[in-house]
PDB file of all heavy atoms in Angstrom:
ATOM      1  N   LYS A 469     -14.940  15.848  -7.823  1.00 97.00           N
ATOM      2  CA  LYS A 469     -15.260  14.385  -7.833  1.00 97.00           C
ATOM      3  C   LYS A 469     -16.783  14.144  -7.591  1.00 97.00           C
ATOM      4  O   LYS A 469     -17.361  13.315  -8.345  1.00 97.00           O
ATOM      5  CB  LYS A 469     -14.485  13.753  -6.564  1.00 97.00           C
ATOM      6  CG  LYS A 469     -14.986  12.365  -6.251  1.00 97.00           C
ATOM      7  CD  LYS A 469     -14.398  11.749  -5.009  1.00 97.00           C
ATOM      8  CE  LYS A 469     -15.036  12.185  -3.722  1.00 97.00           C
ATOM      9  NZ  LYS A 469     -16.105  11.360  -3.183  1.00 97.00           N
ATOM     10  N   ASN A 470     -17.386  14.835  -6.622  1.00 97.00           N
ATOM     11  CA  ASN A 470     -18.741  14.596  -6.337  1.00 97.00           C
ATOM     12  C   ASN A 470     -19.765  15.123  -7.389  1.00 97.00           C
ATOM     13  O   ASN A 470     -20.900  14.781  -7.309  1.00 97.00           O
ATOM     14  CB  ASN A 470     -19.191  15.113  -4.967  1.00 97.00           C
ATOM     15  CG  ASN A 470     -18.427  14.181  -3.814  1.00 97.00           C
ATOM     16  OD1 ASN A 470     -17.978  13.140  -4.190  1.00 97.00           O
ATOM     17  ND2 ASN A 470     -18.475  14.711  -2.642  1.00 97.00           N
ATOM     18  N   ILE A 473     -18.780  12.117 -10.742  1.00 97.00           N
ATOM     19  CA  ILE A 473     -19.299  10.734 -10.706  1.00 97.00           C
ATOM     20  C   ILE A 473     -20.869  10.731 -10.911  1.00 97.00           C
ATOM     21  O   ILE A 473     -21.301   9.727 -11.508  1.00 97.00           O
ATOM     22  CB  ILE A 473     -18.962   9.928  -9.392  1.00 97.00           C
ATOM     23  CG1 ILE A 473     -19.243  10.743  -8.159  1.00 97.00           C
ATOM     24  CG2 ILE A 473     -17.467   9.604  -9.436  1.00 97.00           C
ATOM     25  CD1 ILE A 473     -18.826  10.096  -6.832  1.00 97.00           C
ATOM     26  N   LYS A 474     -21.528  11.800 -10.565  1.00 98.00           N
ATOM     27  CA  LYS A 474     -22.959  11.817 -10.826  1.00 98.00           C
ATOM     28  C   LYS A 474     -23.153  12.134 -12.300  1.00 98.00           C
ATOM     29  O   LYS A 474     -24.123  11.632 -12.911  1.00 98.00           O
ATOM     30  CB  LYS A 474     -23.665  12.891 -10.015  1.00 98.00           C
ATOM     31  CG  LYS A 474     -23.282  13.062  -8.582  1.00 98.00           C
ATOM     32  CD  LYS A 474     -23.443  11.720  -7.796  1.00 98.00           C
ATOM     33  CE  LYS A 474     -22.877  11.793  -6.431  1.00 98.00           C
ATOM     34  NZ  LYS A 474     -23.097  12.890  -5.507  1.00 98.00           N
ATOM     35  N   ALA A 544     -21.377   5.828  -3.791  1.00 90.00           N
ATOM     36  CA  ALA A 544     -22.088   6.654  -4.818  1.00 90.00           C
ATOM     37  C   ALA A 544     -22.469   5.914  -6.100  1.00 90.00           C
ATOM     38  O   ALA A 544     -23.381   6.360  -6.825  1.00 90.00           O
ATOM     39  CB  ALA A 544     -21.278   7.886  -5.166  1.00 90.00           C
ATOM     40  N   ILE A 569     -17.662   6.546   8.146  1.00 78.00           N
ATOM     41  CA  ILE A 569     -18.159   7.856   8.681  1.00 78.00           C
ATOM     42  C   ILE A 569     -19.639   7.786   9.186  1.00 78.00           C
ATOM     43  O   ILE A 569     -20.172   8.749   9.841  1.00 78.00           O
ATOM     44  CB  ILE A 569     -17.967   9.047   7.684  1.00 78.00           C
ATOM     45  CG1 ILE A 569     -18.741   8.853   6.405  1.00 78.00           C
ATOM     46  CG2 ILE A 569     -16.509   9.307   7.448  1.00 78.00           C
ATOM     47  CD1 ILE A 569     -18.649  10.051   5.528  1.00 78.00           C
ATOM     48  N   ARG A 572     -25.168   5.501   6.862  1.00 84.00           N
ATOM     49  CA  ARG A 572     -25.462   5.922   5.517  1.00 84.00           C
ATOM     50  C   ARG A 572     -26.494   5.015   4.811  1.00 84.00           C
ATOM     51  O   ARG A 572     -26.258   4.487   3.781  1.00 84.00           O
ATOM     52  CB  ARG A 572     -24.215   6.099   4.716  1.00 84.00           C
ATOM     53  CG  ARG A 572     -23.247   7.106   5.405  1.00 84.00           C
ATOM     54  CD  ARG A 572     -22.065   7.286   4.592  1.00 84.00           C
ATOM     55  NE  ARG A 572     -22.162   8.166   3.452  1.00 84.00           N
ATOM     56  CZ  ARG A 572     -21.292   8.537   2.644  1.00 84.00           C
ATOM     57  NH1 ARG A 572     -20.055   8.006   2.793  1.00 84.00           N
ATOM     58  NH2 ARG A 572     -21.487   9.302   1.637  1.00 84.00           N
ATOM     59  N   PRO A 573     -27.782   4.961   5.337  1.00 89.00           N
ATOM     60  CA  PRO A 573     -28.770   4.162   4.656  1.00 89.00           C
ATOM     61  C   PRO A 573     -29.144   4.842   3.329  1.00 89.00           C
ATOM     62  O   PRO A 573     -28.777   5.954   3.043  1.00 89.00           O
ATOM     63  CB  PRO A 573     -29.922   4.163   5.576  1.00 89.00           C
ATOM     64  CG  PRO A 573     -29.696   5.335   6.547  1.00 89.00           C
ATOM     65  CD  PRO A 573     -28.230   5.640   6.585  1.00 89.00           C
ATOM     66  N   VAL A 574     -29.944   4.181   2.484  1.00 93.00           N
ATOM     67  CA  VAL A 574     -30.434   4.685   1.196  1.00 93.00           C
ATOM     68  C   VAL A 574     -31.929   4.665   1.129  1.00 93.00           C
ATOM     69  O   VAL A 574     -32.518   4.654   0.088  1.00 93.00           O
ATOM     70  CB  VAL A 574     -29.790   3.947   0.008  1.00 93.00           C
ATOM     71  CG1 VAL A 574     -28.346   4.208  -0.182  1.00 93.00           C
ATOM     72  CG2 VAL A 574     -30.026   2.446   0.146  1.00 93.00           C
ATOM     73  N   ASP A 575     -32.544   4.701   2.352  1.00 95.00           N
ATOM     74  CA  ASP A 575     -34.010   4.624   2.379  1.00 95.00           C
ATOM     75  C   ASP A 575     -34.692   5.830   1.659  1.00 95.00           C
ATOM     76  O   ASP A 575     -35.645   5.600   0.954  1.00 95.00           O
ATOM     77  CB  ASP A 575     -34.550   4.631   3.860  1.00 95.00           C
ATOM     78  CG  ASP A 575     -33.886   5.754   4.679  1.00 95.00           C
ATOM     79  OD1 ASP A 575     -32.701   6.115   4.446  1.00 95.00           O
ATOM     80  OD2 ASP A 575     -34.604   6.256   5.667  1.00 95.00           O
ATOM     81  N   LEU A 576     -34.138   6.995   1.774  1.00 97.00           N
ATOM     82  CA  LEU A 576     -34.716   8.149   0.943  1.00 97.00           C
ATOM     83  C   LEU A 576     -34.590   7.940  -0.559  1.00 97.00           C
ATOM     84  O   LEU A 576     -35.493   8.393  -1.268  1.00 97.00           O
ATOM     85  CB  LEU A 576     -33.975   9.365   1.339  1.00 97.00           C
ATOM     86  CG  LEU A 576     -34.560  10.291   2.508  1.00 97.00           C
ATOM     87  CD1 LEU A 576     -34.710   9.403   3.810  1.00 97.00           C
ATOM     88  CD2 LEU A 576     -33.772  11.470   2.810  1.00 97.00           C
ATOM     89  N   HIS A 577     -33.584   7.358  -0.990  1.00 97.00           N
ATOM     90  CA  HIS A 577     -33.378   7.104  -2.407  1.00 97.00           C
ATOM     91  C   HIS A 577     -34.531   6.210  -2.927  1.00 97.00           C
ATOM     92  O   HIS A 577     -35.239   6.466  -3.882  1.00 97.00           O
ATOM     93  CB  HIS A 577     -32.068   6.347  -2.787  1.00 97.00           C
ATOM     94  CG  HIS A 577     -30.830   7.155  -2.355  1.00 97.00           C
ATOM     95  ND1 HIS A 577     -29.806   7.362  -3.185  1.00 97.00           N
ATOM     96  CD2 HIS A 577     -30.422   7.703  -1.215  1.00 97.00           C
ATOM     97  CE1 HIS A 577     -28.813   7.940  -2.582  1.00 97.00           C
ATOM     98  NE2 HIS A 577     -29.159   8.154  -1.406  1.00 97.00           N
ATOM     99  N   PHE A 612     -35.728  14.828   5.316  1.00 97.00           N
ATOM    100  CA  PHE A 612     -34.531  15.681   5.662  1.00 97.00           C
ATOM    101  C   PHE A 612     -33.667  15.727   4.452  1.00 97.00           C
ATOM    102  O   PHE A 612     -33.887  15.020   3.418  1.00 97.00           O
ATOM    103  CB  PHE A 612     -33.747  15.134   6.911  1.00 97.00           C
ATOM    104  CG  PHE A 612     -33.368  13.740   6.763  1.00 97.00           C
ATOM    105  CD1 PHE A 612     -32.095  13.359   6.175  1.00 97.00           C
ATOM    106  CD2 PHE A 612     -34.183  12.681   7.246  1.00 97.00           C
ATOM    107  CE1 PHE A 612     -31.705  12.006   6.036  1.00 97.00           C
ATOM    108  CE2 PHE A 612     -33.856  11.349   7.077  1.00 97.00           C
ATOM    109  CZ  PHE A 612     -32.587  11.079   6.522  1.00 97.00           C
ATOM    110  N   VAL A 613     -32.727  16.620   4.557  1.00 97.00           N
ATOM    111  CA  VAL A 613     -31.903  16.941   3.265  1.00 97.00           C
ATOM    112  C   VAL A 613     -30.882  15.900   2.977  1.00 97.00           C
ATOM    113  O   VAL A 613     -30.074  15.572   3.842  1.00 97.00           O
ATOM    114  CB  VAL A 613     -31.220  18.341   3.493  1.00 97.00           C
ATOM    115  CG1 VAL A 613     -30.280  18.632   2.283  1.00 97.00           C
ATOM    116  CG2 VAL A 613     -32.291  19.394   3.622  1.00 97.00           C
ATOM    117  N   SER A 614     -30.900  15.400   1.777  1.00 97.00           N
ATOM    118  CA  SER A 614     -29.884  14.384   1.393  1.00 97.00           C
ATOM    119  C   SER A 614     -29.412  14.696  -0.075  1.00 97.00           C
ATOM    120  O   SER A 614     -30.182  14.821  -0.909  1.00 97.00           O
ATOM    121  CB  SER A 614     -30.483  12.984   1.375  1.00 97.00           C
ATOM    122  OG  SER A 614     -29.681  12.119   0.528  1.00 97.00           O
ATOM    123  N   VAL A 615     -28.066  14.808  -0.138  1.00 98.00           N
ATOM    124  CA  VAL A 615     -27.450  15.131  -1.439  1.00 98.00           C
ATOM    125  C   VAL A 615     -27.713  14.029  -2.386  1.00 98.00           C
ATOM    126  O   VAL A 615     -28.273  14.247  -3.506  1.00 98.00           O
ATOM    127  CB  VAL A 615     -25.926  15.363  -1.302  1.00 98.00           C
ATOM    128  CG1 VAL A 615     -25.295  15.523  -2.603  1.00 98.00           C
ATOM    129  CG2 VAL A 615     -25.671  16.573  -0.362  1.00 98.00           C
ATOM    130  N   GLY A 616     -27.413  12.807  -1.991  1.00 97.00           N
ATOM    131  CA  GLY A 616     -27.418  11.639  -2.879  1.00 97.00           C
ATOM    132  C   GLY A 616     -28.925  11.371  -3.259  1.00 97.00           C
ATOM    133  O   GLY A 616     -29.182  11.097  -4.454  1.00 97.00           O
ATOM    134  N   GLU A 640     -26.589  21.750  -2.782  1.00 98.00           N
ATOM    135  CA  GLU A 640     -25.237  21.714  -3.075  1.00 98.00           C
ATOM    136  C   GLU A 640     -24.877  22.070  -4.511  1.00 98.00           C
ATOM    137  O   GLU A 640     -25.692  21.679  -5.478  1.00 98.00           O
ATOM    138  CB  GLU A 640     -24.660  20.225  -2.775  1.00 98.00           C
ATOM    139  CG  GLU A 640     -24.122  20.083  -1.350  1.00 98.00           C
ATOM    140  CD  GLU A 640     -25.174  20.192  -0.262  1.00 98.00           C
ATOM    141  OE1 GLU A 640     -26.332  20.371  -0.513  1.00 98.00           O
ATOM    142  OE2 GLU A 640     -24.679  20.095   0.925  1.00 98.00           O
ATOM    143  N   THR A 756     -19.366  19.406   5.770  1.00 98.00           N
ATOM    144  CA  THR A 756     -18.846  18.266   6.547  1.00 98.00           C
ATOM    145  C   THR A 756     -17.542  17.795   5.948  1.00 98.00           C
ATOM    146  O   THR A 756     -16.641  17.320   6.646  1.00 98.00           O
ATOM    147  CB  THR A 756     -19.869  17.152   6.692  1.00 98.00           C
ATOM    148  OG1 THR A 756     -19.224  16.068   7.298  1.00 98.00           O
ATOM    149  CG2 THR A 756     -20.447  16.692   5.376  1.00 98.00           C
ATOM    150  N   ASP A 757     -17.456  17.897   4.631  1.00 98.00           N
ATOM    151  CA  ASP A 757     -16.221  17.375   3.917  1.00 98.00           C
ATOM    152  C   ASP A 757     -14.983  18.203   4.198  1.00 98.00           C
ATOM    153  O   ASP A 757     -13.932  17.902   3.713  1.00 98.00           O
ATOM    154  CB  ASP A 757     -16.472  17.249   2.429  1.00 98.00           C
ATOM    155  CG  ASP A 757     -17.418  16.158   2.084  1.00 98.00           C
ATOM    156  OD1 ASP A 757     -17.750  15.328   2.984  1.00 98.00           O
ATOM    157  OD2 ASP A 757     -17.932  16.105   0.924  1.00 98.00           O
ATOM    158  N   ILE A 779     -23.801  16.215  10.263  1.00 96.00           N
ATOM    159  CA  ILE A 779     -24.293  15.473   9.045  1.00 96.00           C
ATOM    160  C   ILE A 779     -24.112  13.963   9.249  1.00 96.00           C
ATOM    161  O   ILE A 779     -24.994  13.173   8.872  1.00 96.00           O
ATOM    162  CB  ILE A 779     -23.563  15.958   7.788  1.00 96.00           C
ATOM    163  CG1 ILE A 779     -23.683  17.505   7.638  1.00 96.00           C
ATOM    164  CG2 ILE A 779     -24.106  15.209   6.500  1.00 96.00           C
ATOM    165  CD1 ILE A 779     -25.105  18.003   7.386  1.00 96.00           C
ATOM    166  N   PHE A 780     -22.891  13.523   9.659  1.00 93.00           N
ATOM    167  CA  PHE A 780     -22.643  12.086   9.830  1.00 93.00           C
ATOM    168  C   PHE A 780     -22.362  11.802  11.253  1.00 93.00           C
ATOM    169  O   PHE A 780     -21.830  12.604  12.052  1.00 93.00           O
ATOM    170  CB  PHE A 780     -21.383  11.715   8.998  1.00 93.00           C
ATOM    171  CG  PHE A 780     -21.720  11.745   7.460  1.00 93.00           C
ATOM    172  CD1 PHE A 780     -21.094  12.757   6.715  1.00 93.00           C
ATOM    173  CD2 PHE A 780     -22.572  10.874   6.921  1.00 93.00           C
ATOM    174  CE1 PHE A 780     -21.416  12.804   5.401  1.00 93.00           C
ATOM    175  CE2 PHE A 780     -22.831  10.929   5.627  1.00 93.00           C
ATOM    176  CZ  PHE A 780     -22.250  11.858   4.719  1.00 93.00           C
ATOM    177  N   GLU A 781     -22.753  10.548  11.737  1.00 89.00           N
ATOM    178  CA  GLU A 781     -22.684  10.288  13.119  1.00 89.00           C
ATOM    179  C   GLU A 781     -21.326   9.853  13.614  1.00 89.00           C
ATOM    180  O   GLU A 781     -21.026   9.847  14.852  1.00 89.00           O
ATOM    181  CB  GLU A 781     -23.678   9.265  13.560  1.00 89.00           C
ATOM    182  CG  GLU A 781     -23.644   7.913  12.896  1.00 89.00           C
ATOM    183  CD  GLU A 781     -24.344   7.766  11.504  1.00 89.00           C
ATOM    184  OE1 GLU A 781     -24.458   8.852  10.820  1.00 89.00           O
ATOM    185  OE2 GLU A 781     -24.695   6.640  11.192  1.00 89.00           O
ATOM    186  N   ARG A 783     -18.016  11.086  12.279  1.00 93.00           N
ATOM    187  CA  ARG A 783     -16.957  11.613  11.473  1.00 93.00           C
ATOM    188  C   ARG A 783     -15.827  12.338  12.261  1.00 93.00           C
ATOM    189  O   ARG A 783     -15.357  13.382  11.877  1.00 93.00           O
ATOM    190  CB  ARG A 783     -17.607  12.612  10.499  1.00 93.00           C
ATOM    191  CG  ARG A 783     -16.872  12.584   9.163  1.00 93.00           C
ATOM    192  CD  ARG A 783     -17.444  13.361   7.974  1.00 93.00           C
ATOM    193  NE  ARG A 783     -16.770  12.993   6.762  1.00 93.00           N
ATOM    194  CZ  ARG A 783     -16.993  13.482   5.597  1.00 93.00           C
ATOM    195  NH1 ARG A 783     -17.955  14.412   5.498  1.00 93.00           N
ATOM    196  NH2 ARG A 783     -16.311  13.044   4.587  1.00 93.00           N
ATOM    197  N   LEU A 822     -11.527   9.524   3.129  1.00 92.00           N
ATOM    198  CA  LEU A 822     -10.938  10.545   2.202  1.00 92.00           C
ATOM    199  C   LEU A 822     -10.491  11.829   2.868  1.00 92.00           C
ATOM    200  O   LEU A 822      -9.437  12.308   2.809  1.00 92.00           O
ATOM    201  CB  LEU A 822     -11.880  10.772   1.046  1.00 92.00           C
ATOM    202  CG  LEU A 822     -11.626  11.841   0.065  1.00 92.00           C
ATOM    203  CD1 LEU A 822     -10.331  11.665  -0.547  1.00 92.00           C
ATOM    204  CD2 LEU A 822     -12.732  11.836  -0.969  1.00 92.00           C
ATOM    205  N   ARG A 823     -11.537  12.500   3.473  1.00 94.00           N
ATOM    206  CA  ARG A 823     -11.325  13.814   4.063  1.00 94.00           C
ATOM    207  C   ARG A 823     -10.456  13.770   5.255  1.00 94.00           C
ATOM    208  O   ARG A 823      -9.604  14.729   5.568  1.00 94.00           O
ATOM    209  CB  ARG A 823     -12.565  14.583   4.253  1.00 94.00           C
ATOM    210  CG  ARG A 823     -13.563  14.494   3.059  1.00 94.00           C
ATOM    211  CD  ARG A 823     -12.968  15.033   1.792  1.00 94.00           C
ATOM    212  NE  ARG A 823     -13.900  14.882   0.666  1.00 94.00           N
ATOM    213  CZ  ARG A 823     -13.670  15.176  -0.537  1.00 94.00           C
ATOM    214  NH1 ARG A 823     -12.447  15.641  -0.883  1.00 94.00           N
ATOM    215  NH2 ARG A 823     -14.544  14.941  -1.510  1.00 94.00           N
ATOM    216  N   GLU A 878     -16.311   3.506   1.259  1.00 48.00           N
ATOM    217  CA  GLU A 878     -16.282   4.867   1.831  1.00 48.00           C
ATOM    218  C   GLU A 878     -17.545   5.570   1.427  1.00 48.00           C
ATOM    219  O   GLU A 878     -18.001   5.429   0.252  1.00 48.00           O
ATOM    220  CB  GLU A 878     -15.120   5.593   1.363  1.00 48.00           C
ATOM    221  CG  GLU A 878     -14.984   6.967   1.849  1.00 48.00           C
ATOM    222  CD  GLU A 878     -13.635   7.574   1.736  1.00 48.00           C
ATOM    223  OE1 GLU A 878     -12.720   6.995   2.240  1.00 48.00           O
ATOM    224  OE2 GLU A 878     -13.599   8.572   1.016  1.00 48.00           O
TER     225      GLU A 878
HETATM  226  N1  EPU B 628     -29.220   9.561   4.806  1.00 55.48           N
HETATM  227  C1  EPU B 628     -30.213   8.765   5.234  1.00 55.48           C
HETATM  228  N2  EPU B 628     -30.923   8.067   4.198  1.00 55.48           N
HETATM  229  C2  EPU B 628     -30.708   8.270   2.947  1.00 55.48           C
HETATM  230  C3  EPU B 628     -29.704   9.120   2.503  1.00 55.48           C
HETATM  231  C4  EPU B 628     -28.951   9.828   3.441  1.00 55.48           C
HETATM  232  O1  EPU B 628     -30.405   8.501   6.460  1.00 55.48           O
HETATM  233  O2  EPU B 628     -31.435   7.612   2.091  1.00 55.48           O
HETATM  234  C5  EPU B 628     -28.422  10.326   5.867  1.00 55.48           C
HETATM  235  C6  EPU B 628     -26.894   9.900   5.754  1.00 55.48           C
HETATM  236  O3  EPU B 628     -26.642   8.768   6.439  1.00 55.48           O
HETATM  237  C7  EPU B 628     -26.258  11.180   6.361  1.00 55.48           C
HETATM  238  C8  EPU B 628     -27.164  12.354   5.876  1.00 55.48           C
HETATM  239  O4  EPU B 628     -28.394  11.676   5.477  1.00 55.48           O
HETATM  240  O5  EPU B 628     -26.237  11.093   7.697  1.00 55.48           O
HETATM  241  C9  EPU B 628     -26.771  13.100   4.709  1.00 55.48           C
HETATM  242  O6  EPU B 628     -26.329  12.299   3.664  1.00 55.48           O
HETATM  243  P1  EPU B 628     -26.277  12.607   2.066  1.00 55.48           P
HETATM  244  O7  EPU B 628     -27.251  11.719   1.428  1.00 55.48           O
HETATM  245  O8  EPU B 628     -26.529  14.119   2.030  1.00 55.48           O
HETATM  246  O9  EPU B 628     -24.833  12.351   1.693  1.00 55.48           O
HETATM  247  P2  EPU B 628     -24.344  11.486   0.460  1.00 55.48           P
HETATM  248  O10 EPU B 628     -25.153  11.844  -0.756  1.00 55.48           O
HETATM  249  O11 EPU B 628     -24.312  10.068   0.858  1.00 55.48           O
HETATM  250  C10 EPU B 628     -22.611  13.238  -0.367  1.00 55.48           C
HETATM  251  C11 EPU B 628     -21.172  13.310  -0.632  1.00 55.48           C
HETATM  252  C12 EPU B 628     -20.369  13.186   0.696  1.00 55.48           C
HETATM  253  C13 EPU B 628     -20.782  14.413   1.554  1.00 55.48           C
HETATM  254  C14 EPU B 628     -22.289  14.415   1.743  1.00 55.48           C
HETATM  255  C15 EPU B 628     -22.710  15.658   2.534  1.00 55.48           C
HETATM  256  C16 EPU B 628     -20.966  12.207  -2.823  1.00 55.48           C
HETATM  257  C17 EPU B 628     -20.549  11.071  -3.551  1.00 55.48           C
HETATM  258  N3  EPU B 628     -20.811  12.176  -1.446  1.00 55.48           N
HETATM  259  O12 EPU B 628     -22.840  12.052   0.318  1.00 55.48           O
HETATM  260  O13 EPU B 628     -18.976  13.333   0.310  1.00 55.48           O
HETATM  261  O14 EPU B 628     -20.117  14.303   2.764  1.00 55.48           O
HETATM  262  O15 EPU B 628     -22.934  14.434   0.420  1.00 55.48           O
HETATM  263  O16 EPU B 628     -22.413  16.757   1.900  1.00 55.48           O
HETATM  264  O17 EPU B 628     -21.447  13.186  -3.299  1.00 55.48           O
HETATM  265  C18 EPU B 628     -16.659  12.851   0.364  1.00 55.48           C
HETATM  266  O18 EPU B 628     -16.625  13.293  -0.734  1.00 55.48           O
HETATM  267  O19 EPU B 628     -15.724  12.505   1.093  1.00 55.48           O
HETATM  268  C19 EPU B 628     -18.021  12.560   0.934  1.00 55.48           C
HETATM  269  C20 EPU B 628     -18.268  11.756   1.971  1.00 55.48           C
END
Side-chain angles (χ1 to χ4, degrees):
K469 166 185 83 94
N470 287 348
I473 53 184
K474 316 302 167 55
I569 61 175
R572 303 181 78 180
V574 287
D575 52 327
L576 266 55
H577 299 231
F612 54 89
V613 174
S614 159
V615 173
E640 269 64 4
T756 173
D757 289 347
I779 307 295
F780 292 109
E781 62 271 29
R783 214 171 193 184
L822 169 57
R823 310 305 174 184
E878 176 163 303

